Amino acid sequence: MTDSKYFTTTKKGEIFELKAELNSDKKEKKKEAVKKVIASMTVGKDVSALFPDVVNCMQTDNLELKKLVYLYLMNYAKSQPDMAIMAVNTFVKDCEDPNPLIRALAVRTMGCIRVDKITEYLCEPLRKCLKDEDPYVRKTAAVCVAKLHDINAQLVEDQGFLDTLKDLISDSNPMVVANAVAALSEIAESHPSSNLLDLNPQSINKLLTALNECTEWGQIFILDCLANYTPKDDREAQSICERVTPRLSHANSAVVLSAVKVLMKFMEMLSKDLDYYGTLLKKLAPPLVTLLSAEPELQYVALRNINLIVQKRPEILKHEMKVFFVKYNDPIYVKLEKLDIMIRLASQANIAQVLAELKEYATEVDVDFVRKAVRAIGRCAIKVEQSAERCVSTLLDLIQTKVNYVVQEAIVVIKDIFRKYPNKYESVIATLCENLDSLDEPEARAAMIWIVGEYAERIDNADELLESFLEGFHDESTQVQLQLLTAIVKLFLKKPTETQELVQQVLSLATQDSDNPDLRDRGYIYWRLLSTDPVAAKEVVLAEKPLISEETDLIEPTLLDELICYIGTLASVYHKPPSAFVEGGRGVVHKSLPPRTASSESTESPETAPAGAPPGEQPDVIPAQGDLLGDLLNLDLGPPVSGPPLATTSVQMGAVDLLGGGLDSLMGDEPEGIGGPNFVAPPAAAVPASLGAPIGSGLSDLFDLTSGVGTLSGSYVAPKAVWLPAMKAKGLEISGTFTRQVGSISMDLQLTNKALQVMTDFAIQFNRNSFGLAPAAPLQVHAPLSPNQTVEISLPLNTVGSVMKMEPLNNLQVAVKNNIDVFYFSTLYPLHILFVEDGKMDRQMFLATWKDIPNENEAQFQIRDCPLNAEAVSSKLQSSNIFTIAKRNVEGQDMLYQSLKLTNGIWVLAELRIQPGNPSFTDLELSLKCRAPEVSQHVYQAYETILKN
């Protein structure tokens, strides 16, 4: 018969009847009555009035009845503490009962009665049970210590229970060990300062031995405890990993994840060169894949954990892409999570598969999923460069479907693709503009406006398009308003004559009619910039954008390391540390991965670029302001060291380059502003006071080489020109030139002190430049520079500095510091100082290369009024490392075939045509072929400079 009858209500005198039944002499009747009491208690009736009568039923040998009475006790002891003391005697007796089940039951109930008055009476029985001969009682008593500690920590410490618990870690029974570990971990968590779990290799060994024989929950407690241990060296880490690995094949997913956590943590200490490291990576994949065949809720937890694991060690699952493909019956939360992991695992090897799959998803019915799939295609393009072309064409196909939300997502991701690959896919802008009217979501509208503003010069009706957005300006979201304001200012800077009204309209809308402070502030900044200094406005607003990185949503590395320590817990599902969502007085300890051991320091994480990458290929990253300026202002300045690229900040205009600030005034007002990517003019405060009007004598006469006489031993040296006049540098005048002799480049400087005070503490630094020119040693001015004194210094240079394409290519921006201030100037170096000594190409190679370089890369120049014959030309050029490979006479004209090589490995091939014996025709014709055609103009200038001096 079922127990449902106990829940049916009886007559009005219920409590009274139950009281009578509880005091009955018949055992059966008593038991029935207690069951009715428990049933009433379960449905929420107050049966506390029966407390003394129920407690009287404790004196029984019937285990079932005892359990029921204990259940009642746990529930009502808190509300009736004085009555509960009556039960203490029975507990003490039960703890000495011959039946181990009753002993354990008494201990378990004692732990659950949270009444301060009673706890001290329970210490003796608990002490006995901790030393009980039956493991079942010991394991129950171990947990009871943790419960008692929660009620009265001081009492537990005074009674020495913690030491007894520590001894239980060496118990012969694995379940007792597991519960002792669980209890100690629980206590240690609430008291982070106490060093309870003082693990050493001996105790770890005992835990690992117990691991194989406990229940699954016992295994989880032990594995979690192991995860908090830091091995003393990589050998110990490896031996623990070897003994934990078999847990990966456990049927319970919690055990698997706890084992993965231990292995992920200890792998940090293993060298990547070890064979075992590779084996471990292989062993980690199958259990994670198996978790994905469980029910959806478990899959979700597994996927959230896998997401962390893939960010930390993508190599574990790089061959398992297929298991993350979405199934038609997956719930949406599983689908979205799988998509995320697919992108993280996308690489050149599997991108074709991934794209085919994503294109399929983009035609599904589930809107959220489709949106995420379209975004995923864009993220693949940004992550795997080789696939960008295919991704863009896939996105264009999706735009052609004209499904509104697909089109909007596609436009948002195409904006990011433009940011990653500038000047590559702009041909698709026309297609995007066709869909302008259908955009109704703020993010898509903002993305489209950004595209129109950024590429206004390629869109004929850009002004009309932006004007159409302006009509409903106040109804737009802030994101769209801000983007529209910036886009119209960009358009105005690119086409000032046609868009004056438009820009005034948007500025007044943003500043006078808007109540959004962000919008007003941006409007006023633009207004002031445009009205006071249009050149600066151009540099700020049209500055080169830094390339965006592939993984914008990666978890920050220190947080990731912390979350790896919480695999298999809620923290790994939320992707937040416990301190972010656990409330209460418990001290949350921040965990972190163990430091790498000495043997593995050389290994680099897969995210970092290989050390051997040539400087030219490193991505441009905005340098932090302190990085460059701080360096320069240090008194003892060594040669600049190009450090690792700093992470890009989200602030795009915050980059203050050490050489920024008014440099364009040196060059005359250049339309585009100087510098290649990321050269952003600094805020007003950073502009050195010394920079004012343009230099008159500086650059114009760098190649006005009438007075110089070339030295025959090395390449041609231009005479010194004034680079920084004294009036610009508080009395310091700097003249200089560049030389190349026997393979080494130097900057020959002449420093003159035209001030009234002594100058000391000189230092020099170059900004990043096209060929990586950098000082190879500090600027050494040995004695203080007195007033009216001049000192000549030769500063050795090398070409291993940071690279950034400059405009013009041979522009060099320099900062010089002394005890007075920091001064900035800019100069052009002749390209022939970069022609290296081993630039003579083999004849066959020359022919093959000449044919191989496409014809559109060929540039033609004339060198006028050069009355030299072929021999003189050849020897003069050879002294500057331009080598003649072959000479032949064609129809009375001498043809010289020449080669030269630049310090960065670029070869330039030349054909020089000379007309001998014709005194009236002294012009030479020069054809240059090069894989980097922008170099040709500067090579021609070098030819002209060398031959005419």
Side-chain angles (χ1 to χ4, degrees):
M1 188 175 175
T2 65
D3 289 342
S4 56
K5 60 177 181 179
Y6 302 116
F7 290 88
T8 52
T9 345
T10 52
K11 305 164 282 304
K12 55 182 185 293
E14 199 173 8
I15 297 279
F16 180 74
E17 282 179 18
L18 285 173
K19 202 179 183 81
E21 283 177 28
L22 286 169
N23 293 321
S24 157
D25 299 336
K26 293 190 176 118
K27 283 187 180 174
E28 274 309 306
K29 211 162 193 187
K30 259 189 181 176
K31 195 159 130 188
E32 294 293 302
V34 173
K35 283 189 177 175
K36 281 180 189 167
V37 171
I38 297 292
S40 300
M41 184 178 89
T42 310
V43 294
K45 286 184 185 164
D46 182 13
V47 281
S48 57
L50 297 169
F51 200 91
D53 308 287
V54 176
V55 170
N56 284 337
C57 300
M58 273 174 90
Q59 312 294 342
T60 172
D61 305 330
N62 183 323
L63 189 60
E64 188 184 5
L65 182 55
K66 216 178 216 17
K67 276 187 176 172
L68 290 168
V69 174
Y70 277 171
L71 197 61
Y72 178 88
L73 253 178
M74 283 185 229
N75 204 31
Y76 284 117
K78 221 180 175 79
S79 57
Q80 310 258 357
D82 302 331
M83 304 285 284
I85 291 184
M86 294 163 44
V88 169
N89 250 341
T90 320
F91 281 136
V92 177
K93 260 176 59 186
D94 281 354
C95 283
E96 294 180 5
D97 195 279
N99 181 347
L101 290 175
I102 288 183
R103 297 203 296 275
L105 183 63
V107 158
R108 180 178 295 127
T109 312
M110 277 164 27
C112 294
I113 294 179
R114 302 178 63 84
V115 177
D116 282 342
K117 283 185 185 172
I118 300 183
T119 37
E120 51 238 49
Y121 297 111
L122 305 181
C123 291
E124 267 329 293
L126 179 57
R127 182 174 286 110
K128 285 182 184 155
C129 290
L130 281 167
K131 300 248 186 330
D132 200 284
E133 79 251 5
D134 191 286
Y136 181 70
V137 181
R138 292 200 302 277
K139 86 176 178 77
T140 313
V143 176
C144 185
V145 174
K147 289 180 176 171
L148 200 58
H149 189 275
D150 199 31
I151 302 166
N152 188 339
Q154 198 53 50
L155 180 73
V156 172
E157 283 160 33
D158 296 345
Q159 294 283 345
F161 287 150
L162 294 180
D163 297 325
T164 319
L165 259 190
K166 287 182 189 170
D167 297 341
L168 286 183
I169 288 189
S170 314
D171 199 277
S172 55
N173 182 293
M175 263 329 291
V176 178
V177 176
N179 277 18
V181 166
L184 282 169
S185 304
E186 180 87 7
I187 295 170
E189 223 166 77
S190 55
H191 291 68
S193 52
S194 64
N195 192 11
L196 285 177
L197 273 165
D198 185 17
L199 297 171
N200 51 39
Q202 289 68 40
S203 54
I204 288 289
N205 196 20
K206 287 171 186 154
L207 293 185
L208 287 165
T209 311
L211 186 62
N212 299 326
E213 300 163 33
C214 350
T215 64
E216 46 200 30
W217 293 111
Q219 292 184 20
I220 292 166
F221 291 137
I222 290 179
L223 287 167
D224 286 352
C225 175
L226 285 173
N228 292 331
Y229 173 63
T230 305
K232 60 180 189 298
D233 56 19
D234 49 352
R235 291 190 46 195
E236 188 185 358
Q238 181 173 342
S239 88
I240 295 175
C241 288
E242 282 166 353
R243 294 176 68 178
V244 168
T245 313
R247 297 299 108 217
L248 291 173
S249 48
H250 200 284
N252 183 326
S253 50
V255 176
V256 174
L257 282 176
S258 293
V260 169
K261 165 166 64 186
V262 175
L263 297 173
M264 284 293 289
K265 201 167 170 185
F266 290 176
M267 274 169 86
E268 279 298 297
M269 298 188 66
L270 301 179
S271 158
K272 291 193 174 183
D273 319 333
L274 281 178
D275 293 344
Y276 180 67
Y277 181 85
T279 318
L280 201 50
L281 285 179
K282 287 199 189 89
K283 283 185 178 166
L284 275 168
L288 293 173
V289 170
T290 309
L291 290 176
L292 297 182
S293 50
E295 51 270 32
E297 294 77 10
L298 270 181
Q299 276 188 52
Y300 178 72
V301 172
L303 287 164
R304 292 292 282 174
N305 279 283
I306 288 170
N307 200 328
L308 294 174
I309 292 166
V310 165
Q311 287 184 53
K312 184 71 188 162
R313 300 199 181 280
E315 61 271 33
I316 293 178
L317 287 161
K318 65 177 178 200
H319 300 305
E320 301 292 346
M321 179 62 91
K322 281 234 170 77
V323 295
F324 299 107
F325 285 175
V326 171
K327 299 192 178 78
Y328 75 96
N329 57 353
D330 280 339
I332 181 70
Y333 54 88
V334 170
K335 285 180 173 174
L336 295 178
E337 212 46 51
K338 281 185 171 176
L339 252 185
D340 216 26
I341 296 170
M342 277 169 65
I343 299 159
R344 296 211 192 289
L345 291 175
S347 65
Q348 212 179 325
N350 55 26
I351 193 74
Q353 252 183 328
V354 174
L355 275 180
E357 197 66 15
L358 291 175
K359 193 169 180 184
E360 201 63 37
Y361 301 161
T363 56
E364 292 267 334
V365 286
D366 193 321
V367 177
D368 284 341
F369 181 50
V370 172
R371 285 174 178 279
K372 187 116 183 205
V374 177
R375 293 235 164 170
I377 295 173
R379 279 175 60 189
C380 286
I382 289 167
K383 183 169 183 188
V384 185
E385 190 166 342
Q386 294 76 3
S387 73
E389 192 111 359
R390 296 179 60 168
C391 293
V392 173
S393 64
T394 307
L395 288 168
L396 288 177
D397 293 347
L398 291 172
I399 288 177
Q400 296 311 330
T401 61
K402 299 287 188 225
V403 179
N404 190 309
Y405 54 88
V406 176
V407 173
Q408 311 216 46
E409 286 298 332
I411 284 177
V412 173
V413 293
I414 285 177
K415 173 206 69 177
D416 289 339
I417 294 175
F418 285 168
R419 286 286 310 273
K420 174 75 176 173
Y421 307 111
N423 305 322
K424 240 180 158 176
Y425 300 110
E426 280 75 6
S427 51
V428 307
I429 292 176
T431 318
L432 303 183
C433 291
E434 290 165 15
N435 294 282
L436 242 163
D437 303 335
S438 64
L439 307 180
D440 51 15
E441 289 164 22
E443 202 179 352
R445 289 172 78 82
M448 193 62 226
I449 291 169
W450 182 85
I451 291 171
V452 173
E454 188 64 17
Y455 300 103
E457 68 279 10
R458 304 173 186 226
I459 304 172
D460 302 334
N461 59 340
D463 46 347
E464 290 166 30
L465 296 178
L466 291 177
E467 205 167 345
S468 66
F469 282 104
L470 209 52
E471 287 155 13
F473 186 76
H474 290 304
D475 306 328
E476 299 284 5
S477 72
T478 310
Q479 182 183 10
V480 178
Q481 290 177 331
L482 286 166
Q483 204 52 270
L484 191 52
L485 172 60
T486 303
I488 290 177
V489 172
K490 283 182 185 169
L491 175 67
F492 171 68
L493 289 168
K494 291 175 181 179
K495 305 179 176 175
T497 45
E498 308 145 40
T499 53
Q500 208 148 359
E501 281 174 31
L502 190 61
V503 82
Q504 280 171 340
Q505 191 185 347
V506 76
L507 286 172
S508 69
L509 279 171
T511 53
Q512 290 157 18
D513 309 347
S514 166
D515 51 5
N516 179 327
D518 292 341
L519 186 62
R520 281 215 309 268
D521 285 356
R522 191 182 289 192
Y524 279 126
I525 286 175
Y526 285 153
W527 200 312
R528 283 177 193 146
L529 260 176
L530 292 170
S531 55
T532 53
D533 191 348
V535 177
K538 212 162 205 180
E539 285 202 2
V540 172
V541 182
L542 302 181
E544 288 256 2
K545 310 288 176 293
L547 301 184
I548 56 174
S549 72
E550 43 167 324
E551 294 292 11
T552 40
D553 59 341
L554 279 179
I555 293 177
E556 189 265 325
T558 46
L559 175 59
L560 179 62
D561 286 355
E562 185 175 351
L563 291 177
I564 292 286
C565 301
Y566 286 111
I567 283 177
T569 66
L570 259 184
S572 67
V573 179
Y574 288 154
H575 287 186
K576 291 177 182 168
S579 53
F581 60 87
V582 175
E583 289 181 358
R586 289 199 165 186
V588 177
V589 195
H590 284 287
K591 300 185 180 181
S592 61
L593 293 177
R596 283 206 167 282
T597 48
S599 61
S600 57
E601 271 174 9
S602 60
T603 59
E604 9 146 301
S605 69
E607 288 81 45
T608 56
E617 289 174 22
Q618 288 174 358
D620 284 323
V621 187
I622 298 184
Q625 175 176 353
D627 172 52
L628 292 163
L629 275 173
D631 218 24
L632 183 70
L633 301 175
N634 268 346
L635 291 180
D636 176 27
L637 199 90
V641 180
S642 66
L646 288 138
T648 42
T649 54
S650 55
V651 186
Q652 293 177 5
M653 282 161 43
V656 178
D657 219 312
L658 112 108
L659 294 151
L663 264 172
D664 49 325
S665 62
L666 294 173
M667 309 296 296
D669 287 327
E670 289 199 3
E672 286 299 315
I674 313 174
N678 313 338
F679 203 95
V680 181
V687 179
S690 57
L691 287 175
I695 295 175
S697 58
L699 297 172
S700 53
D701 59 358
L702 181 61
F703 287 121
D704 179 16
L705 304 166
T706 44
S707 56
V709 181
T711 51
L712 292 174
S713 58
S715 61
Y716 164 73
V717 180
K720 287 193 177 80
V722 177
W723 286 342
L724 183 65
M727 55 182 274
K728 288 279 183 300
K730 300 185 182 174
L732 172 66
E733 182 176 282
I734 301 181
S735 312
T737 184
F738 294 91
T739 62
R740 181 186 187 95
Q741 271 165 325
V742 205
S744 51
I745 308 171
S746 52
M747 182 190 231
D748 292 348
L749 294 167
Q750 181 175 310
L751 309 180
T752 306
N753 180 357
K754 296 190 174 177
L756 298 174
Q757 67 191 91
V758 174
M759 294 182 180
T760 56
D761 303 334
F762 284 92
I764 191 164
Q765 190 176 340
F766 294 178
N767 193 17
R768 296 189 296 174
N769 53 75
S770 309
F771 294 92
L773 274 177
L779 179 63
Q780 306 237 321
V781 181
H782 293 296
L785 194 59
S786 311
N788 291 321
Q789 187 187 351
T790 296
V791 62
E792 304 244 341
I793 301 155
S794 184
L795 177 71
L797 307 183
N798 58 31
T799 51
V800 295
S802 299
V803 173
M804 175 172 85
K805 189 173 171 188
M806 299 299 284
E807 189 58 51
L809 207 60
N810 57 340
N811 188 8
L812 179 65
Q813 297 169 339
V814 183
V816 171
K817 166 197 156 297
N818 63 12
N819 57 331
I820 299 170
D821 204 347
V822 182
F823 308 107
Y824 303 85
F825 64 89
S826 153
T827 178
L828 301 177
Y829 48 88
L831 209 65
H832 65 259
I833 62 164
L834 303 173
F835 297 171
V836 296
E837 281 63 26
D838 61 346
K840 185 162 186 174
M841 200 181 251
D842 167 74
R843 280 186 178 209
Q844 300 308 100
M845 187 70 180
F846 181 93
L847 278 170
T849 312
W850 185 275
K851 284 181 189 158
D852 193 37
I853 296 176
N855 286 337
E856 56 267 27
N857 283 21
E858 187 170 347
Q860 312 276 350
F861 302 98
Q862 277 205 334
I863 301 172
R864 300 196 176 277
D865 306 325
C866 179
L868 298 172
N869 64 14
E871 269 61 42
V873 166
S874 188
S875 72
K876 205 162 191 182
L877 291 173
Q878 177 132 0
S879 66
S880 290
N881 296 336
I882 300 175
F883 298 95
T884 303
I885 292 165
K887 175 188 167 193
R888 57 182 194 161
N889 191 291
V890 182
E891 298 171 3
Q893 296 183 339
D894 283 336
M895 308 282 275
L896 297 182
Y897 296 96
Q898 296 175 318
S899 71
L900 62 98
K901 182 178 161 192
L902 296 170
T903 48
N904 60 359
I906 293 178
W907 284 91
V908 182
L909 310 187
E911 177 187 79
L912 191 60
R913 186 184 300 242
I914 304 167
Q915 301 215 354
N918 180 354
S920 61
F921 198 85
T922 54
D923 294 354
L924 312 186
E925 287 172 33
L926 176 66
S927 299
L928 295 176
K929 255 192 166 187
C930 176
R931 291 191 196 284
E934 58 268 33
V935 174
S936 299
Q937 175 67 33
H938 302 281
V939 172
Y940 153 67
Q941 284 169 358
Y943 261 89
E944 192 165 52
T945 306
I946 296 163
L947 292 175
K948 289 193 175 178
N949 292 290

